[in-house]
Amino acid sequence: MVTTRRRSGALPNAPPPSRVVDQIEEDMDENPGDDGSSKAQSDDDDAPYGLAPPKKRARRPKKSETPLLQNGNSVKKAQPSKGKGKARELMKTFFDTLPLDLIFEIFSYLHPSDLLRLSRSGKRIRSLLMSRKSISIWKNARLRLPNVPDCPPDQSEPQWAHLIFENDCTICGTPAIRKVDWHLRIRGCENCLKDHVVYSKTAAKQMPHIEDMQEVLELLPYTHTGGWAHGHSSSSRFYFTGAIEKMAEELDDYKLRVDARVPGAVAELEKFKEIKRKQAEEIVQNGAEVKKWAKVDSVAKANTNRDLRNKRKDAFRAKLVELGHDLRDIENALWSNASVYRAAELTERSWEKARKSLEAAVSGVKIARLAREREAILRPRRATFDRFYSKFCKKIGFAFPGLCPPSRDVHIWPIIAPLIEQDHTPVTEETFEVAEDTLKDRITSWRKDKLFALLQKMASSGLNAFMKMLGLDPAVTTASELDALDMRVYCQGCTVDEPSKAYNWRSSVRHLQRHKDCDKPWSGWIKVSDSDVKIIKDGENSGDFSLVGYSPRFICQLCENTRAGECISDIDRERHIQYKHPGHTPAISYYREDPNVAPKPLSVTQVQHVLGYSSVESTAEQSGSGS
């Protein structure tokens, strides 16, 4: 039947390699020639096993290959010979000039896997290697390898070589498959084993078209490892579907002869069954022996490959040492390069191919190592500068966090970095004293930049609106001036939902952040009247816990430069002095109020309820005192 293209234009896929092993035996039956070349054809055919080569289209000459006219005669332009043509000519010369016994001797020195690849290179070579007369080639090639098991009677030499030395799936052709079931004579991928290895008790259900399934299974070799077992054996029996189909066809042929009452057909059927039972037992027994060999061979190969990898790594190391690289860098660079760990001896060609990438890797490792070593030197120097910087900030009056740039940023300033990174000189706190004046100017400049950024942020945070409402200029107003005014405002967006609370300038900024966090629109500030401001301040200064909770926090001046002394409430003053400064008597003079702590926002109604007077009384009292 002619192979045609699909509607998509693509040719059908090649038949699965499971046909390869079967076709090897058919080729050996079809090619019994004396010299193995009776059916030899062209050498340039690359068709798979057992398939006729597709007809090639006529090659059309390119424009550059059109005939040239010289004196009225058509002359073709000379074309350079291609590599394939040269190989064909060399192969033709090889077969035509050398005697057949010498060719057999040469081929017998090849590895069996090389013979398999060679048999696929052309019909003439395939016809020679698949001839029954060439069995000696395969046998001698196998015997030259140590500890390879003999070819069993149920396999031909090419079939056995294909199963042992090639790693493609016998069924679908997937490469790099290591699982081999030596009882079933198949090398299968996980999906193929699940689809084509059936359990004896469910085989009839899975293959209902086969009659007398139990009779068929009795004549076949079996395995104890199922397709879904992931390599774990059991006492159950599993069979290969391809072998079941083939055995069923053979049985049907014998049974047809019996049904036709051919003389001696019954005896032939029984003899066939007996032979197949015996063969199945021998295959199962041989499979167990080969399986043991495979385990031992796998360990031996692993050890050999490990030795080859170590030897190759040592060769790479020696080459790099000769080039002047440090062993510390070499070791860290070799493990990440895949070419180093190939199980093969290092050749000059392999070295030249991997040299460029390896030297680049070694250089990268060296740079990283030097950076680590340099960091180990600079880390204690930075710690020394941090101690100097902390004392210097206290000296110039900027001891609190946020008033000076972080020391990690100062490390890279041009006035400090050369002092930290200088070579061959001990670095102490005195080393940085030469930069005090420049450092102070730089800190002052940094503070101006931060102040400008703060003003920009104020413009977007609502604080600008607060100061403009009070008639202040946001560009020149300081925090001290705002603290001195000590004004209060209401949030216009919150007066509808809850009692109006009065905020000073610090708490207003925090309140505005609350609007941003909850996506509640902010509509502006409302200035609190002077009478209500007095009521609010009376509540803030009352000390009533229901109004203010904890009173404004303070900073212990005895330990203000450490976190232990930051923001201590007045309730804990005596306890702090008693435990942190046992040699001092508790006194208010040890504390100063923290200006960064805003008073708790209060409403007029809340203060009137707690203190028991009205806003009218407060206003009258204020007017009387003023007069």
Side-chain angles (χ1 to χ4, degrees), residues 58-258:
R59 181 173 176 272
R60 295 182 180 179
K62 299 180 181 179
K63 291 183 179 181
S64 59
E65 298 175 352
T66 52
L68 304 177
L69 295 177
Q70 294 182 2
N71 300 326
N73 297 324
S74 177
V75 180
K76 276 193 174 182
K77 185 178 179 180
Q79 297 292 326
S81 60
K82 296 184 178 180
K84 191 172 183 180
K86 290 181 178 179
R88 186 184 303 117
E89 291 298 327
L90 288 174
M91 190 59 66
K92 184 178 180 181
T93 303
F94 178 78
F95 279 101
D96 291 344
T97 58
L98 294 179
L100 190 59
D101 56 347
L102 184 57
I103 294 176
F104 277 26
E105 182 67 19
I106 294 173
F107 283 176
S108 65
Y109 281 91
L110 297 178
H111 193 278
S113 59
D114 295 330
L115 289 176
L116 288 169
R117 285 189 287 268
L118 187 62
S119 67
R120 301 182 186 118
S121 62
K123 280 194 172 181
R124 188 171 184 180
I125 300 180
R126 179 177 181 80
S127 178
L128 172 64
L129 290 176
M130 293 304 165
S131 172
R132 290 189 178 277
K133 193 172 183 179
S134 65
I135 292 179
S136 60
I137 298 177
W138 297 89
K139 187 174 181 180
N140 292 334
R142 174 175 56 79
L143 292 176
R144 292 184 188 277
L145 301 176
N147 302 325
V148 177
D150 294 336
C151 178
D154 60 292
Q155 297 278 297
S156 66
E157 288 285 351
Q159 286 177 321
W160 193 237
H162 174 73
L163 184 61
I164 293 180
F165 300 109
E166 293 195 325
N167 60 2
D168 56 318
C169 176
T170 308
I171 302 169
C172 69
T174 301
I177 302 300
R178 297 184 178 181
K179 293 182 180 179
V180 181
D181 196 305
W182 300 101
H183 301 84
L184 301 182
R185 309 298 198 208
I186 59 172
R187 183 187 294 269
C189 63
E190 186 174 351
N191 292 332
C192 288
L193 291 177
K194 291 178 179 179
D195 294 338
H196 296 279
V197 176
V198 296
Y199 180 37
S200 58
K201 294 183 179 180
T202 60
K205 185 177 180 180
Q206 291 180 258
M207 306 175 71
H209 59 284
I210 296 180
E211 299 178 357
D212 301 329
M213 176 60 74
Q214 192 60 36
E215 182 183 10
V216 174
L217 297 182
E218 290 177 355
L219 308 180
L220 292 175
Y222 57 85
T223 182
H224 294 297
T225 306
W228 296 83
H230 302 287
H232 300 287
S233 300
S234 66
S235 59
S236 303
R237 294 186 178 186
F238 300 88
Y239 296 85
F240 180 46
T241 56
I244 294 175
E245 296 278 1
K246 186 176 180 180
M247 181 58 68
E249 292 179 1
E250 294 181 12
L251 270 178
D252 288 343
D253 292 340
Y254 279 99
K255 289 180 179 180
L256 286 176
R257 291 172 57 83
V258 172

Side-chain angles (χ1 to χ4, degrees), residues 275-439:
I275 293 174
K276 290 300 179 181
R277 289 192 192 96
K278 186 177 180 180
Q279 286 182 352
E281 293 176 0
E282 292 175 352
I283 291 174
V284 171
Q285 184 178 359
N286 175 262
E289 295 174 358
V290 177
K291 186 176 181 179
K292 293 179 182 179
W293 165 84
K295 289 183 179 180
V296 175
D297 184 67
S298 176
V299 174
K301 284 183 178 178
N303 294 334
T304 302
N305 291 340
R306 184 189 64 240
D307 295 340
L308 286 174
R309 292 189 186 98
N310 292 336
K311 185 177 179 181
R312 184 181 178 92
K313 183 179 179 180
D314 294 340
F316 271 113
R317 185 187 296 109
K319 292 281 188 181
L320 292 170
V321 169
E322 289 179 4
L323 295 176
H325 295 287
D326 194 301
L327 268 176
R328 295 171 294 177
D329 306 326
I330 294 173
E331 292 299 329
N332 291 330
L334 288 179
W335 72 268
S336 60
N337 195 298
S339 62
V340 174
Y341 292 94
R342 290 182 54 198
E345 293 186 2
L346 181 62
T347 62
E348 286 298 326
R349 181 179 179 183
S350 301
W351 161 246
E352 292 299 331
K353 187 176 180 180
R355 176 177 176 176
K356 186 176 181 180
S357 61
L358 272 176
E359 288 196 286
V362 173
S363 299
V365 171
K366 180 179 180 180
I367 293 172
R369 175 178 60 82
L370 294 177
R372 290 194 303 271
E373 293 175 354
R374 183 64 176 169
E375 180 63 23
I377 297 174
L378 297 180
R379 192 180 298 113
R381 295 184 176 185
R382 295 193 189 105
T384 302
F385 171 76
D386 291 346
R387 293 191 294 271
F388 163 81
Y389 185 65
S390 177
K391 296 176 182 178
F392 178 74
C393 290
K394 296 174 188 176
K395 181 179 178 181
I396 61 177
F398 301 135
F400 298 102
L403 299 181
C404 289
S407 61
R408 62 179 177 273
D409 296 339
V410 183
H411 292 163
I412 60 175
W413 283 5
I415 57 175
I416 300 300
L419 298 177
I420 294 177
E421 298 178 0
Q422 58 184 322
D423 295 327
H424 311 297
T425 303
V427 176
T428 62
E429 294 184 20
E430 290 74 16
T431 305
F432 304 101
E433 292 179 355
V434 296
E436 285 186 349
D437 296 338
T438 309
L439 185 60

Side-chain angles (χ1 to χ4, degrees), residues 463-483:
L463 190 57
N464 262 6
F466 183 95
M467 289 188 286
K468 287 180 179 179
M469 184 182 64
L470 301 178
L472 303 175
D473 184 2
V476 296
T477 303
T478 63
S480 300
E481 293 174 354
L482 290 175
D483 288 333

